[in-house]
Amino acid sequence: MLAPGTPAIAIGGKILINDPSPEEFIAADGWFTLLGLGFGLVVAVVAWLVLRRDRGPFLLLGIVVGLLGAGYYSAPTVGEMIGRSAYKAWEATAQQGATNVAPPELHSIGPSLVPAFIAAVALTLLAGWSNDPDLDEPGAKPGYGPNEAAANPNESVEAPQG
């Protein structure tokens, strides 16, 4: 587990947070944000390299919608399940004054949006910085196509015959 758990104590049949202002809540959101940032960047770069023929607005839309679903539904659920069963077993049998560490939980929506946002930015920058005039055709060279005359003003370019 990367994110720290929150200290809990059993008092009077209830489980209470053992710290009046635990910073672990913010730490859990921070770790989720950092992991989402890395995940979104990796997904964008892999999609850019592997799905060369599908580049365009639909790839961007598909990646963003998929990462919104993963970041909002799947990742928090799976992350909160890690260590949850052991904590629930302790909670059911905890004696007065017993302490344990509650697994981290996501407390805000912002971190769940980070993977989709980063992937959208990364895919847009990759498309903007690409030198391919047609992104689905590999091997384009700078100055290729209609901009060739502007890139090489000393060379004569023949007009296409129609």
Side-chain angles (χ1 to χ4, degrees):
M1 243 183 346
L2 293 173
T6 307
I9 187 167
I11 297 178
K14 293 182 179 181
I15 305 297
L16 303 173
I17 302 299
N18 200 11
D19 187 357
S21 60
E23 67 226 15
E24 289 85 3
F25 292 142
I26 296 171
D29 289 355
W31 272 106
F32 192 86
T33 300
L34 291 175
L35 290 171
L37 187 129
F39 183 68
L41 189 61
V42 166
V43 167
V45 170
V46 168
W48 179 259
L49 295 174
V50 173
L51 301 172
R52 175 177 286 277
R53 297 254 178 231
D54 299 321
R55 290 179 182 166
F58 294 116
L59 175 66
L60 177 64
L61 182 65
I63 294 293
V64 168
V65 168
L67 285 175
L68 280 174
Y72 189 74
Y73 293 111
S74 302
T77 304
V78 170
E80 289 174 7
M81 285 177 19
I82 297 172
R84 179 68 60 192
S85 61
Y87 177 73
K88 289 291 184 185
W90 171 82
E91 191 176 42
T93 61
Q95 299 294 325
Q96 178 77 12
T99 60
N100 198 354
V101 177
E105 295 178 8
L106 192 61
H107 289 91
S108 62
I109 295 174
S112 61
L113 304 176
V114 168
F117 177 74
I118 291 300
V121 169
L123 281 172
T124 303
L125 289 175
L126 285 169
W129 289 338
S130 175
N131 67 350
D132 290 345
D134 188 4
L135 292 176
D136 65 352
E137 295 293 327
K141 300 175 189 101
Y144 172 78
N147 294 329
E148 185 175 5
N152 300 315
N154 296 334
E155 296 179 17
S156 66
V157 177
E158 293 182 26
Q161 306 252 337

